[in-house]
mmCIF file of all heavy atoms in Angstrom:
data_model
loop_
_atom_site.group_PDB
_atom_site.id
_atom_site.type_symbol
_atom_site.label_atom_id
_atom_site.label_comp_id
_atom_site.label_asym_id
_atom_site.label_seq_id
_atom_site.Cartn_x
_atom_site.Cartn_y
_atom_site.Cartn_z
ATOM 1 N N ILE A 183 83.046 11.579 -53.252
ATOM 2 C CA ILE A 183 82.692 10.154 -53.277
ATOM 3 C C ILE A 183 82.362 9.610 -51.887
ATOM 4 O O ILE A 183 81.313 8.965 -51.711
ATOM 5 C CB ILE A 183 83.802 9.318 -53.969
ATOM 6 C CG1 ILE A 183 83.885 9.716 -55.450
ATOM 7 C CG2 ILE A 183 83.510 7.818 -53.834
ATOM 8 C CD1 ILE A 183 84.973 9.030 -56.241
ATOM 9 N N PRO A 184 83.199 9.854 -50.849
ATOM 10 C CA PRO A 184 82.787 9.416 -49.511
ATOM 11 C C PRO A 184 81.450 10.032 -49.090
ATOM 12 O O PRO A 184 80.658 9.400 -48.382
ATOM 13 C CB PRO A 184 83.924 9.914 -48.607
ATOM 14 C CG PRO A 184 85.098 10.028 -49.498
ATOM 15 C CD PRO A 184 84.551 10.446 -50.830
ATOM 16 N N GLY A 185 81.185 11.267 -49.531
ATOM 17 C CA GLY A 185 79.929 11.923 -49.197
ATOM 18 C C GLY A 185 78.727 11.174 -49.759
ATOM 19 O O GLY A 185 77.760 10.888 -49.043
ATOM 20 N N ILE A 186 78.788 10.840 -51.048
ATOM 21 C CA ILE A 186 77.709 10.083 -51.692
ATOM 22 C C ILE A 186 77.543 8.719 -51.027
ATOM 23 O O ILE A 186 76.429 8.258 -50.756
ATOM 24 C CB ILE A 186 78.001 9.893 -53.200
ATOM 25 C CG1 ILE A 186 77.867 11.226 -53.948
ATOM 26 C CG2 ILE A 186 77.073 8.844 -53.808
ATOM 27 C CD1 ILE A 186 76.447 11.743 -54.040
ATOM 28 N N CYS A 187 78.679 8.058 -50.759
ATOM 29 C CA CYS A 187 78.635 6.710 -50.174
ATOM 30 C C CYS A 187 78.069 6.723 -48.750
ATOM 31 O O CYS A 187 77.393 5.779 -48.345
ATOM 32 C CB CYS A 187 80.031 6.091 -50.188
ATOM 33 S SG CYS A 187 80.607 5.638 -51.847
ATOM 34 N N LEU A 188 78.334 7.772 -47.990
ATOM 35 C CA LEU A 188 77.774 7.884 -46.639
ATOM 36 C C LEU A 188 76.243 8.010 -46.699
ATOM 37 O O LEU A 188 75.524 7.478 -45.844
ATOM 38 C CB LEU A 188 78.381 9.076 -45.896
ATOM 39 C CG LEU A 188 79.775 8.834 -45.306
ATOM 40 C CD1 LEU A 188 80.447 10.150 -44.957
ATOM 41 C CD2 LEU A 188 79.692 7.938 -44.077
ATOM 42 N N ILE A 189 75.743 8.693 -47.714
ATOM 43 C CA ILE A 189 74.283 8.811 -47.894
ATOM 44 C C ILE A 189 73.691 7.442 -48.243
ATOM 45 O O ILE A 189 72.616 7.069 -47.765
ATOM 46 C CB ILE A 189 73.959 9.858 -48.984
ATOM 47 C CG1 ILE A 189 74.353 11.256 -48.482
ATOM 48 C CG2 ILE A 189 72.469 9.821 -49.344
ATOM 49 C CD1 ILE A 189 74.237 12.351 -49.523
ATOM 50 N N ILE A 190 74.415 6.670 -49.067
ATOM 51 C CA ILE A 190 73.973 5.302 -49.394
ATOM 52 C C ILE A 190 73.935 4.448 -48.123
ATOM 53 O O ILE A 190 72.990 3.680 -47.900
ATOM 54 C CB ILE A 190 74.902 4.669 -50.448
ATOM 55 C CG1 ILE A 190 74.762 5.397 -51.789
ATOM 56 C CG2 ILE A 190 74.598 3.166 -50.615
ATOM 57 C CD1 ILE A 190 75.783 4.989 -52.833
ATOM 58 N N THR A 191 74.962 4.606 -47.279
ATOM 59 C CA THR A 191 75.010 3.886 -46.002
ATOM 60 C C THR A 191 73.787 4.228 -45.150
ATOM 61 O O THR A 191 73.181 3.341 -44.527
ATOM 62 C CB THR A 191 76.307 4.225 -45.233
ATOM 63 O OG1 THR A 191 77.427 3.704 -45.947
ATOM 64 C CG2 THR A 191 76.293 3.614 -43.829
ATOM 65 N N ALA A 192 73.426 5.505 -45.118
ATOM 66 C CA ALA A 192 72.241 5.935 -44.360
ATOM 67 C C ALA A 192 70.990 5.188 -44.830
ATOM 68 O O ALA A 192 70.168 4.744 -44.016
ATOM 69 C CB ALA A 192 72.036 7.443 -44.501
ATOM 70 N N GLY A 193 70.868 5.016 -46.141
ATOM 71 C CA GLY A 193 69.725 4.293 -46.705
ATOM 72 C C GLY A 193 69.727 2.822 -46.292
ATOM 73 O O GLY A 193 68.682 2.267 -45.929
ATOM 74 N N LEU A 194 70.908 2.195 -46.324
ATOM 75 C CA LEU A 194 71.030 0.777 -45.949
ATOM 76 C C LEU A 194 70.662 0.559 -44.487
ATOM 77 O O LEU A 194 69.977 -0.418 -44.142
ATOM 78 C CB LEU A 194 72.456 0.285 -46.210
ATOM 79 C CG LEU A 194 72.875 0.161 -47.680
ATOM 80 C CD1 LEU A 194 74.366 -0.134 -47.781
ATOM 81 C CD2 LEU A 194 72.075 -0.944 -48.372
ATOM 82 N N LEU A 195 71.110 1.460 -43.619
ATOM 83 C CA LEU A 195 70.829 1.332 -42.189
ATOM 84 C C LEU A 195 69.337 1.476 -41.905
ATOM 85 O O LEU A 195 68.784 0.775 -41.043
ATOM 86 C CB LEU A 195 71.616 2.385 -41.397
ATOM 87 C CG LEU A 195 73.142 2.294 -41.485
ATOM 88 C CD1 LEU A 195 73.789 3.386 -40.649
ATOM 89 C CD2 LEU A 195 73.642 0.928 -41.037
ATOM 90 N N THR A 196 68.696 2.376 -42.628
ATOM 91 C CA THR A 196 67.255 2.568 -42.467
ATOM 92 C C THR A 196 66.500 1.301 -42.882
ATOM 93 O O THR A 196 65.566 0.860 -42.195
ATOM 94 C CB THR A 196 66.771 3.765 -43.312
ATOM 95 O OG1 THR A 196 67.500 4.933 -42.936
ATOM 96 C CG2 THR A 196 65.283 4.017 -43.099
ATOM 97 N N ILE A 197 66.940 0.704 -43.987
ATOM 98 C CA ILE A 197 66.334 -0.551 -44.461
ATOM 99 C C ILE A 197 66.477 -1.641 -43.400
ATOM 100 O O ILE A 197 65.538 -2.388 -43.117
ATOM 101 C CB ILE A 197 66.981 -1.003 -45.790
ATOM 102 C CG1 ILE A 197 66.580 -0.060 -46.927
ATOM 103 C CG2 ILE A 197 66.593 -2.447 -46.127
ATOM 104 C CD1 ILE A 197 67.375 -0.258 -48.209
ATOM 105 N N CYS A 198 67.654 -1.726 -42.788
ATOM 106 C CA CYS A 198 67.923 -2.751 -41.773
ATOM 107 C C CYS A 198 66.996 -2.610 -40.576
ATOM 108 O O CYS A 198 66.473 -3.602 -40.055
ATOM 109 C CB CYS A 198 69.376 -2.678 -41.317
ATOM 110 S SG CYS A 198 69.846 -4.003 -40.170
ATOM 111 N N ASP A 199 66.784 -1.388 -40.137
ATOM 112 C CA ASP A 199 65.905 -1.140 -38.982
ATOM 113 C C ASP A 199 64.476 -1.619 -39.230
ATOM 114 O O ASP A 199 63.817 -2.132 -38.332
ATOM 115 C CB ASP A 199 65.887 0.357 -38.636
ATOM 116 C CG ASP A 199 66.747 0.681 -37.413
ATOM 117 O OD1 ASP A 199 67.413 -0.240 -36.907
ATOM 118 O OD2 ASP A 199 66.745 1.837 -36.978
ATOM 119 N N TYR A 200 63.996 -1.419 -40.457
ATOM 120 C CA TYR A 200 62.608 -1.749 -40.766
ATOM 121 C C TYR A 200 62.426 -3.167 -41.316
ATOM 122 O O TYR A 200 61.295 -3.607 -41.530
ATOM 123 C CB TYR A 200 62.035 -0.728 -41.757
ATOM 124 C CG TYR A 200 61.785 0.623 -41.109
ATOM 125 C CD1 TYR A 200 62.716 1.649 -41.216
ATOM 126 C CD2 TYR A 200 60.625 0.854 -40.370
ATOM 127 C CE1 TYR A 200 62.502 2.878 -40.606
ATOM 128 C CE2 TYR A 200 60.393 2.078 -39.755
ATOM 129 C CZ TYR A 200 61.339 3.089 -39.885
ATOM 130 O OH TYR A 200 61.116 4.295 -39.271
ATOM 131 N N ALA A 201 63.551 -3.861 -41.542
ATOM 132 C CA ALA A 201 63.472 -5.230 -42.062
ATOM 133 C C ALA A 201 62.924 -6.189 -41.005
ATOM 134 O O ALA A 201 63.150 -6.001 -39.806
ATOM 135 C CB ALA A 201 64.844 -5.692 -42.528
ATOM 136 N N LYS A 202 62.236 -7.209 -41.457
ATOM 137 C CA LYS A 202 61.677 -8.217 -40.560
ATOM 138 C C LYS A 202 62.813 -9.019 -39.919
ATOM 139 O O LYS A 202 63.773 -9.386 -40.585
ATOM 140 C CB LYS A 202 60.753 -9.149 -41.357
ATOM 141 C CG LYS A 202 60.067 -10.203 -40.523
ATOM 142 C CD LYS A 202 59.200 -11.101 -41.410
ATOM 143 C CE LYS A 202 58.573 -12.217 -40.598
ATOM 144 N NZ LYS A 202 57.776 -13.140 -41.458
ATOM 145 N N SER A 203 62.712 -9.287 -38.636
ATOM 146 C CA SER A 203 63.726 -10.075 -37.940
ATOM 147 C C SER A 203 63.635 -11.530 -38.370
ATOM 148 O O SER A 203 62.537 -12.100 -38.453
ATOM 149 C CB SER A 203 63.536 -9.979 -36.426
ATOM 150 O OG SER A 203 63.803 -8.673 -35.981
ATOM 151 N N GLY A 204 64.793 -12.135 -38.640
ATOM 152 C CA GLY A 204 64.829 -13.531 -39.062
ATOM 153 C C GLY A 204 65.176 -14.465 -37.911
ATOM 154 O O GLY A 204 65.371 -14.027 -36.776
ATOM 155 N N ILE A 205 65.278 -15.749 -38.232
ATOM 156 C CA ILE A 205 65.606 -16.756 -37.211
ATOM 157 C C ILE A 205 66.828 -17.586 -37.591
ATOM 158 O O ILE A 205 67.259 -18.451 -36.841
ATOM 159 C CB ILE A 205 64.414 -17.709 -36.987
ATOM 160 C CG1 ILE A 205 64.017 -18.381 -38.308
ATOM 161 C CG2 ILE A 205 63.221 -16.971 -36.389
ATOM 162 C CD1 ILE A 205 63.071 -19.551 -38.147
ATOM 163 N N LYS A 206 67.382 -17.319 -38.782
ATOM 164 C CA LYS A 206 68.485 -18.154 -39.275
ATOM 165 C C LYS A 206 69.758 -17.969 -38.453
ATOM 166 O O LYS A 206 70.152 -16.840 -38.127
ATOM 167 C CB LYS A 206 68.806 -17.805 -40.729
ATOM 168 C CG LYS A 206 67.777 -18.248 -41.737
ATOM 169 C CD LYS A 206 68.263 -17.904 -43.148
ATOM 170 C CE LYS A 206 67.233 -18.228 -44.197
ATOM 171 N NZ LYS A 206 67.698 -17.831 -45.556
ATOM 172 N N LYS A 207 70.381 -19.105 -38.131
ATOM 173 C CA LYS A 207 71.745 -19.120 -37.621
ATOM 174 C C LYS A 207 72.535 -20.001 -38.574
ATOM 175 O O LYS A 207 72.122 -20.174 -39.725
ATOM 176 C CB LYS A 207 71.767 -19.615 -36.175
ATOM 177 C CG LYS A 207 71.092 -18.638 -35.206
ATOM 178 C CD LYS A 207 71.268 -19.059 -33.754
ATOM 179 C CE LYS A 207 70.582 -18.054 -32.829
ATOM 180 N NZ LYS A 207 70.715 -18.433 -31.399
ATOM 181 N N VAL A 208 73.639 -20.562 -38.145
ATOM 182 C CA VAL A 208 74.475 -21.334 -39.073
ATOM 183 C C VAL A 208 73.707 -22.492 -39.708
ATOM 184 O O VAL A 208 73.762 -22.688 -40.924
ATOM 185 C CB VAL A 208 75.742 -21.870 -38.351
ATOM 186 C CG1 VAL A 208 76.569 -22.715 -39.310
ATOM 187 C CG2 VAL A 208 76.584 -20.719 -37.823
ATOM 188 N N LYS A 209 72.989 -23.257 -38.914
ATOM 189 C CA LYS A 209 72.303 -24.456 -39.425
ATOM 190 C C LYS A 209 71.284 -24.130 -40.500
ATOM 191 O O LYS A 209 71.139 -24.858 -41.488
ATOM 192 C CB LYS A 209 71.623 -25.207 -38.269
ATOM 193 C CG LYS A 209 72.585 -25.970 -37.385
ATOM 194 C CD LYS A 209 71.830 -26.773 -36.331
ATOM 195 C CE LYS A 209 72.802 -27.552 -35.445
ATOM 196 N NZ LYS A 209 72.086 -28.335 -34.402
ATOM 197 N N GLN A 210 70.546 -23.027 -40.320
ATOM 198 C CA GLN A 210 69.474 -22.685 -41.261
ATOM 199 C C GLN A 210 69.963 -21.881 -42.471
ATOM 200 O O GLN A 210 69.295 -21.823 -43.498
ATOM 201 C CB GLN A 210 68.377 -21.883 -40.542
ATOM 202 C CG GLN A 210 67.661 -22.622 -39.423
ATOM 203 C CD GLN A 210 68.415 -22.564 -38.103
ATOM 204 O OE1 GLN A 210 69.366 -21.796 -37.953
ATOM 205 N NE2 GLN A 210 67.985 -23.390 -37.157
ATOM 206 N N ALA A 211 71.103 -21.227 -42.338
ATOM 207 C CA ALA A 211 71.618 -20.367 -43.408
ATOM 208 C C ALA A 211 72.117 -21.195 -44.590
ATOM 209 O O ALA A 211 72.555 -22.333 -44.432
ATOM 210 C CB ALA A 211 72.744 -19.486 -42.876
ATOM 211 N N SER A 212 72.045 -20.605 -45.784
ATOM 212 C CA SER A 212 72.516 -21.294 -46.992
ATOM 213 C C SER A 212 73.827 -20.669 -47.478
ATOM 214 O O SER A 212 74.185 -19.550 -47.092
ATOM 215 C CB SER A 212 71.466 -21.199 -48.100
ATOM 216 O OG SER A 212 71.355 -19.852 -48.556
ATOM 217 N N TYR A 213 74.508 -21.396 -48.355
ATOM 218 C CA TYR A 213 75.751 -20.868 -48.935
ATOM 219 C C TYR A 213 75.438 -19.731 -49.908
ATOM 220 O O TYR A 213 76.273 -18.859 -50.120
ATOM 221 C CB TYR A 213 76.537 -21.990 -49.625
ATOM 222 C CG TYR A 213 76.992 -23.055 -48.652
ATOM 223 C CD1 TYR A 213 76.640 -24.388 -48.825
ATOM 224 C CD2 TYR A 213 77.770 -22.715 -47.543
ATOM 225 C CE1 TYR A 213 77.051 -25.364 -47.922
ATOM 226 C CE2 TYR A 213 78.186 -23.683 -46.631
ATOM 227 C CZ TYR A 213 77.818 -25.001 -46.835
ATOM 228 O OH TYR A 213 78.232 -25.947 -45.926
ATOM 229 N N ALA A 214 74.238 -19.740 -50.472
ATOM 230 C CA ALA A 214 73.807 -18.630 -51.338
ATOM 231 C C ALA A 214 73.700 -17.345 -50.509
ATOM 232 O O ALA A 214 74.105 -16.262 -50.963
ATOM 233 C CB ALA A 214 72.465 -18.953 -51.990
ATOM 234 N N ASN A 215 73.164 -17.463 -49.287
ATOM 235 C CA ASN A 215 73.121 -16.317 -48.364
ATOM 236 C C ASN A 215 74.527 -15.777 -48.146
ATOM 237 O O ASN A 215 74.768 -14.567 -48.205
ATOM 238 C CB ASN A 215 72.545 -16.730 -47.014
ATOM 239 C CG ASN A 215 71.076 -17.091 -47.042
ATOM 240 O OD1 ASN A 215 70.615 -17.917 -46.261
ATOM 241 N ND2 ASN A 215 70.306 -16.495 -47.945
ATOM 242 N N ALA A 216 75.460 -16.685 -47.886
ATOM 243 C CA ALA A 216 76.848 -16.298 -47.606
ATOM 244 C C ALA A 216 77.476 -15.579 -48.802
ATOM 245 O O ALA A 216 78.199 -14.588 -48.645
ATOM 246 C CB ALA A 216 77.670 -17.536 -47.245
ATOM 247 N N PHE A 217 77.184 -16.057 -50.007
ATOM 248 C CA PHE A 217 77.751 -15.460 -51.227
ATOM 249 C C PHE A 217 77.238 -14.039 -51.427
ATOM 250 O O PHE A 217 78.002 -13.125 -51.735
ATOM 251 C CB PHE A 217 77.404 -16.325 -52.441
ATOM 252 C CG PHE A 217 78.125 -15.923 -53.696
ATOM 253 C CD1 PHE A 217 79.459 -16.270 -53.889
ATOM 254 C CD2 PHE A 217 77.487 -15.183 -54.681
ATOM 255 C CE1 PHE A 217 80.135 -15.898 -55.049
ATOM 256 C CE2 PHE A 217 78.149 -14.804 -55.833
ATOM 257 C CZ PHE A 217 79.485 -15.164 -56.016
ATOM 258 N N ILE A 218 75.934 -13.848 -51.219
ATOM 259 C CA ILE A 218 75.322 -12.513 -51.370
ATOM 260 C C ILE A 218 75.917 -11.537 -50.348
ATOM 261 O O ILE A 218 76.211 -10.377 -50.668
ATOM 262 C CB ILE A 218 73.791 -12.606 -51.218
ATOM 263 C CG1 ILE A 218 73.191 -13.330 -52.431
ATOM 264 C CG2 ILE A 218 73.171 -11.209 -51.083
ATOM 265 C CD1 ILE A 218 71.758 -13.744 -52.257
ATOM 266 N N ILE A 219 76.112 -11.999 -49.123
ATOM 267 C CA ILE A 219 76.709 -11.164 -48.078
ATOM 268 C C ILE A 219 78.145 -10.795 -48.449
ATOM 269 O O ILE A 219 78.594 -9.666 -48.212
ATOM 270 C CB ILE A 219 76.661 -11.890 -46.708
ATOM 271 C CG1 ILE A 219 75.206 -12.027 -46.248
ATOM 272 C CG2 ILE A 219 77.477 -11.145 -45.659
ATOM 273 C CD1 ILE A 219 74.994 -13.072 -45.177
ATOM 274 N N GLY A 220 78.853 -11.721 -49.079
ATOM 275 C CA GLY A 220 80.220 -11.453 -49.536
ATOM 276 C C GLY A 220 80.268 -10.386 -50.620
ATOM 277 O O GLY A 220 81.163 -9.535 -50.635
ATOM 278 N N ILE A 221 79.283 -10.414 -51.526
ATOM 279 C CA ILE A 221 79.186 -9.376 -52.570
ATOM 280 C C ILE A 221 78.941 -8.016 -51.920
ATOM 281 O O ILE A 221 79.563 -7.011 -52.283
ATOM 282 C CB ILE A 221 78.050 -9.708 -53.569
ATOM 283 C CG1 ILE A 221 78.408 -10.952 -54.379
ATOM 284 C CG2 ILE A 221 77.792 -8.520 -54.504
ATOM 285 C CD1 ILE A 221 77.288 -11.456 -55.276
ATOM 286 N N ALA A 222 78.042 -7.996 -50.932
ATOM 287 C CA ALA A 222 77.741 -6.745 -50.219
ATOM 288 C C ALA A 222 78.996 -6.203 -49.540
ATOM 289 O O ALA A 222 79.276 -5.002 -49.596
ATOM 290 C CB ALA A 222 76.650 -6.991 -49.177
#
């Protein structure tokens, strides 16, 4: 199980590298953003 999950982590990190950079900080962020991050 840790083996499979580490491979999933590798995929997430790759996605992060290629994702577009945002500009949101506290003022621009929404509570929906916060909820999704909490699920993650």
Side-chain angles (χ1 to χ4, degrees):
I183 295 177
I186 290 291
C187 289
L188 281 164
I189 292 173
I190 293 171
T191 293
L194 291 172
L195 298 180
T196 303
I197 290 169
C198 185
D199 257 5
Y200 288 97
K202 182 181 176 183
S203 293
I205 57 167
K206 288 183 184 177
K207 293 187 180 179
V208 178
K209 285 184 180 180
Q210 297 84 12
S212 68
Y213 296 123
N215 292 150
F217 190 77
I218 290 167
I219 293 162
I221 292 173

